[in-house]
Amino acid sequence: MKPFPTKDVTRVWARLVKAQQIVLASIEQRLKAAKLPPLAWYDTLLELERAEGRGLRPFELEREMLLAQYNLSRLVDRLEEEGYVERRPFEGDGRGQLIAITVSGKSMRRRMWAVYGPEIQCAFGDHLTPRQAKSLGALLGLLIEKSPGRRRLKT
Amino acid sequence: MKPFPTKDVTRVWARLVKAQQIVLASIEQRLKAAKLPPLAWYDTLLELERAEGRGLRPFELEREMLLAQYNLSRLVDRLEEEGYVERRPFEGDGRGQLIAITVSGKSMRRRMWAVYGPEIQCAFGDHLTPRQAKSLGALLGLLIEKSPGRRRLKT
DNA sequence: AAAGATTGATGGATCAATCTTA
DNA sequence: TAAGATTGATCCATCAATCTTT
């Protein structure tokens, strides 16, 4: 049995896509205008900075960020070429590695935040009261929590 | 002056991205598994079907869908190659054209909906009560309406 | 010159296959 | 054989330049 959504539910889904698109596009535009890397680099650097000390395994990063393995592999290539991250062998499992953020990577993340942060406020935060933001967060939380435990994106 | 967002606002923004990503990924997965085209094809075909009779100018489609011009041009190429849409000259302005959906295009849109619809319900609708859906729709509406009138994505 | 639309070149995303170690 | 990760080939997205008509 495959139940179809009501028109209302469909409309709300369409709005979710559109709202995200509008805000995301304005953020990417600002980053580009400031000659900074795309948002995916920020997300990666942030995850790595939060894991400071340890660094992260590629597959951990992959799951956290909902990226396919091959996709992440090449993203890390680019970040490494620019000197923002380092790959280190992982002691204890010869298959694995640890990705760690460099000093230069932390600096770039901060420079990106100087553009990203204000644009979140301008394109997103400014349109919601604190109450509305809280309410939106709770509703989105329902969609995220209930999602059937992060499956891998690749077979 | 560039005010930074509160941690709460930032967290809600992150959730918006993640919730959309999760649902979108599961939809694209289902379409692929059913050997159907990607969601962008559905969106395009739907817009064209809604405009039935007239057809749409590429720039109208572009604005409606928040796509860059060159991007749309090649998307239409692919749709035309598969016989799902037709390009016609636009009488009255030699620069323009009209894109119209074909019978085969309508049929494909229906086939896609048979997969897309149930997955919207399953990955999205099922996690919200009607009240919650309504509330979410209203909040997202705030973000969309207030967005500074759809700018072009290309210079 | 500006609007509507396309194209060549390039970079990123994706699929399938591969390599290494467990 | 499976897990962790990479690679080659291909497709799509993007930038900049172009073409045509207004």
Side-chain angles (χ1 to χ4, degrees):
Chain A
M1 246 277 311
K2 300 188 146 200
F4 282 83
T6 63
K7 293 224 191 280
D8 273 353
V9 165
T10 304
R11 204 172 299 128
V12 177
W13 162 239
R15 283 190 181 190
L16 177 60
V17 174
K18 191 156 243 168
Q20 196 260 10
Q21 246 188 197
I22 288 172
V23 179
L24 197 61
S26 77
I27 289 166
E28 294 283 16
Q29 238 174 260
R30 294 272 176 178
L31 288 172
K32 189 172 309 171
K35 313 235 180 208
L36 291 169
L39 199 49
W41 289 37
Y42 180 89
D43 291 336
T44 310
L45 293 175
L46 181 61
E47 288 298 333
L48 291 174
E49 201 161 352
R50 281 177 173 157
E52 181 56 68
R54 315 171 260 135
L56 286 176
R57 305 285 300 270
F59 74 88
E60 294 176 306
L61 212 43
E62 172 208 328
R63 278 164 200 173
E64 195 56 44
M65 301 179 62
L66 304 181
L67 281 176
Q69 229 171 15
Y70 45 76
N71 207 337
L72 180 66
S73 184
R74 280 167 170 147
L75 178 53
V76 172
D77 284 349
R78 282 168 242 145
L79 287 166
E80 194 177 29
E81 258 175 67
E82 297 297 327
Y84 299 145
V85 307
E86 268 182 10
R87 283 177 161 112
R88 302 177 192 152
F90 177 68
E91 314 294 333
D93 188 336
R95 293 172 302 184
Q97 24 177 259
L98 274 181
I99 318 281
I101 191 169
T102 63
V103 172
S104 160
K106 290 180 199 171
S107 158
M108 173 52 81
R109 193 196 67 74
R110 275 193 304 274
R111 286 180 54 205
M112 294 183 75
W113 179 245
V115 172
Y116 183 22
E119 190 60 18
I120 292 176
Q121 183 56 29
C122 179
F124 179 78
D126 279 350
H127 303 145
L128 302 169
T129 67
R131 270 185 68 85
Q132 289 171 335
K134 195 181 167 194
S135 173
L136 179 58
L139 291 166
L140 293 170
L142 293 174
L143 298 173
I144 295 169
E145 290 157 24
K146 296 202 185 170
S147 96
R150 318 285 166 71
R151 273 173 272 167
R152 309 213 29 208
L153 293 180
K154 199 203 156 190
T155 315
Chain B
M1 246 277 314
K2 299 187 146 202
F4 282 84
T6 63
K7 292 224 191 285
D8 273 354
V9 164
T10 304
R11 204 174 299 128
V12 177
W13 163 240
R15 281 190 182 190
L16 177 60
V17 174
K18 190 157 243 166
Q20 195 259 10
Q21 248 188 198
I22 289 172
V23 178
L24 196 61
S26 78
I27 289 167
E28 294 282 16
Q29 239 173 259
R30 293 274 176 177
L31 288 172
K32 189 173 306 171
K35 313 232 180 211
L36 291 170
L39 199 49
W41 290 36
Y42 180 88
D43 291 335
T44 310
L45 293 175
L46 181 61
E47 288 298 334
L48 291 174
E49 202 162 351
R50 281 178 171 158
E52 182 55 68
R54 317 171 260 135
L56 285 177
R57 303 286 301 272
F59 74 89
E60 295 175 308
L61 211 43
E62 172 208 329
R63 278 164 200 173
E64 196 55 45
M65 302 179 62
L66 303 182
L67 281 174
Q69 229 173 15
Y70 44 77
N71 207 338
L72 179 65
S73 183
R74 278 166 170 146
L75 177 53
V76 171
D77 284 349
R78 282 168 240 143
L79 288 166
E80 193 178 29
E81 258 176 67
E82 298 296 328
Y84 299 145
V85 307
E86 268 181 8
R87 282 179 161 112
R88 300 178 193 152
F90 177 68
E91 314 293 334
D93 186 337
R95 294 171 302 184
Q97 18 175 266
L98 273 180
I99 317 282
I101 190 169
T102 64
V103 171
S104 161
K106 289 181 199 173
S107 157
M108 174 52 82
R109 193 196 68 75
R110 275 192 303 274
R111 287 180 54 204
M112 292 182 76
W113 179 244
V115 172
Y116 183 23
E119 190 59 18
I120 291 176
Q121 183 56 29
C122 179
F124 179 79
D126 279 350
H127 302 145
L128 301 169
T129 66
R131 270 186 67 84
Q132 289 171 335
K134 194 181 168 196
S135 172
L136 179 58
L139 291 166
L140 294 170
L142 294 175
L143 298 173
I144 294 170
E145 290 157 25
K146 296 202 188 174
S147 94
R150 316 285 166 70
R151 272 174 275 166
R152 308 214 30 207
L153 293 180
K154 198 203 160 192
T155 316

